Amino acid sequence: FPHRHLSPYRHSKEKAVNMLNYILFELSDTTLINSSNEHVAKIINYIDEHITEKTSLQTISQKIGLTKEYTAFIFKKETNRTLTDYVNERKMLIAKDLILSNAMSLNDLSNYLGYDNYTYFSRLFKRYFGISPLNLKKK
């Protein structure tokens, strides 16, 4: 699997946690998204391979060879959620696991996941989990 999902630290415990999380994410994709549409599979594959990068509808649609409008339409139709919601959900799950493993600082974590603005990352995290990243880290 792509090494981008591993934390930049060389500790074996964090690597093992990240590998297991990656496997669980892959399994959840196959059970939660029952699409036989090859375009949706390409979209999900691209997102998974570039999850720590800034991604946009424009970038994803160019990489898979579809228009932005059709990419958004087919993804929403097949998954019942927007592309942005899916990307953010994936990033928030990774963030939660990295926070719980104390792998890196919160600011580094938000940058690692492609968020330039920590405040935005924190608000998004709180919307998904009902707790701020800082409060989760303190627990």
Side-chain angles (χ1 to χ4, degrees), residues 66-78:
L66 300 173
T67 65
K68 292 186 317 182
E69 295 78 13
Y70 187 68
T71 301
F73 168 77
I74 195 71
F75 193 84
K76 174 78 172 179
K77 179 182 174 197
E78 294 289 321

Side-chain angles (χ1 to χ4, degrees), residues 48-94:
D48 287 345
E49 288 179 1
H50 299 89
I51 196 70
T52 60
E53 301 169 14
K54 289 182 188 179
T55 55
S56 68
L57 177 59
Q58 177 72 35
T59 304
I60 293 168
S61 60
Q62 284 176 345
K63 295 293 182 182
I64 63 169
L66 300 173
T67 65
K68 292 186 317 182
E69 295 78 13
Y70 187 68
T71 301
F73 168 77
I74 195 71
F75 193 84
K76 174 78 172 179
K77 179 182 174 197
E78 294 289 321
T79 66
N80 256 355
R81 58 184 134 172
T82 67
L83 197 56
T84 302
D85 287 342
Y86 179 78
V87 169
N88 284 331
E89 179 181 320
R90 299 287 289 189
K91 287 185 179 200
M92 292 301 107
L93 290 170
I94 292 169

Side-chain angles (χ1 to χ4, degrees), residues 20-29 90 93-94 97:
L20 289 172
N21 285 331
Y22 181 79
I23 292 167
L24 291 173
F25 289 142
E26 288 299 312
L27 289 172
S28 72
D29 276 349
R90 299 287 289 189
L93 290 170
I94 292 169
D97 290 333

